[in-house]
Amino acid sequence: MAFPDEVLADEEELVLHLHPHWKAALRPGLLVLLAVVVTAGAWVMLPSTEGGLIAFLVVAAIMLYQGLRYGVAPLVIWRCTHYVLTDERILLQDGVIARERRDLPLNRINDHVVTQSVLDRLFGSGTLKVDSIGEQAVILAAVPRAQSVQTLLYELIEQDRVRHPEDEEEEAEPEVPVQRKGFFRRKPAANGKAADPRR
């Protein structure tokens, strides 16, 4: 599923578009498969009497509920979750009917960390936490190729700093004014306090 172009600003280039790692869809997919197998097993195993039909309908209803809630719904949410890197910002969009989107400009990022469990290292995924100025954070869970994505994010941040050096100049600390030399300049006294110029 392509990310909609209307979300991007003019002259903004899409660099990377990801969904969470497929391992996040593994468990819901297995639950859907299990619900189908149990329903088919009940159809074959239960007798073709009125009581067997009622039992089958009960089993089918339970499996349908479990399959939809814990299988299909997480799969749809997984497919509708987007991690997008552009040359200007990070976009995180999720939601099926009601959507939520978070934007984080690259020039506001001051730290990014990848954490990986043993299972994450096995699959090459990880959680990418991006901190920004103002104590805001974006957490991208189950990012595929997490190490490569972090490296790409670093490169994008550096390219953004090269393109917009004025942003760093605005954030730089103001220079301390140089003391004027002259007759009325206060001279430090022996005790460390400024001497009175009238003396």
Side-chain angles (χ1 to χ4, degrees):
M1 181 184 296
F3 197 73
D5 290 336
E6 62 268 14
V7 173
L8 304 179
D10 294 338
E11 299 181 1
E12 184 178 11
E13 293 185 10
L14 179 66
V15 177
L16 185 65
H17 175 213
L18 298 171
H19 295 284
H21 194 274
W22 60 265
K23 76 178 180 65
L26 189 58
R27 182 177 176 185
L30 289 175
L31 287 174
V32 170
L33 182 61
L34 179 63
V36 171
V37 169
V38 170
T39 304
W43 176 259
V44 172
M45 300 295 291
L46 291 174
S48 58
T49 61
E50 185 177 344
L53 180 60
I54 293 173
F56 169 75
L57 292 176
V58 170
V59 171
I62 292 173
M63 290 300 104
L64 179 64
Y65 171 77
Q66 297 289 333
L68 289 176
R69 180 172 180 183
Y70 300 107
V72 175
L75 285 173
V76 173
I77 292 171
W78 166 74
R79 191 60 186 160
C80 292
T81 300
H82 301 269
Y83 300 150
V84 178
L85 295 180
T86 73
D87 59 345
E88 295 182 10
R89 57 185 166 157
I90 298 175
L91 293 95
L92 168 61
Q93 179 173 296
D94 57 6
V96 181
I97 299 173
R99 289 187 175 175
E100 179 180 345
R101 191 183 81 210
R102 295 191 63 187
D103 297 353
L104 182 60
L106 295 178
N107 61 2
R108 304 284 294 175
I109 296 173
N110 58 11
D111 190 26
H112 43 91
V113 179
V114 169
T115 55
Q116 292 180 302
S117 65
V118 176
L119 191 61
D120 286 332
R121 293 188 68 184
L122 183 64
F123 285 106
S125 62
T127 299
L128 178 60
K129 181 180 179 184
V130 182
D131 292 322
S132 68
I133 300 170
E135 298 183 356
Q136 295 180 351
V138 171
I139 297 177
L140 310 178
V143 176
R145 305 183 307 277
Q147 300 285 353
S148 300
V149 172
Q150 185 185 26
T151 302
L152 177 61
L153 177 59
Y154 173 78
E155 292 173 357
L156 290 173
I157 292 170
E158 291 302 312
Q159 291 172 8
D160 184 72
R161 287 179 180 164
V162 170
R163 283 196 311 269
H164 304 101
E166 66 277 1
D167 294 341
E168 290 190 6
E169 291 176 5
E170 291 174 1
E171 295 174 4
E173 296 182 3
E175 294 182 4
V176 178
V178 179
Q179 292 184 349
R180 291 181 296 162
K181 294 181 179 180
F183 181 74
F184 293 104
R185 184 173 64 91
R186 293 187 180 186
K187 296 179 181 178
N191 60 2
K193 296 181 180 178
D196 193 338
R198 293 173 292 183
R199 293 181 182 173

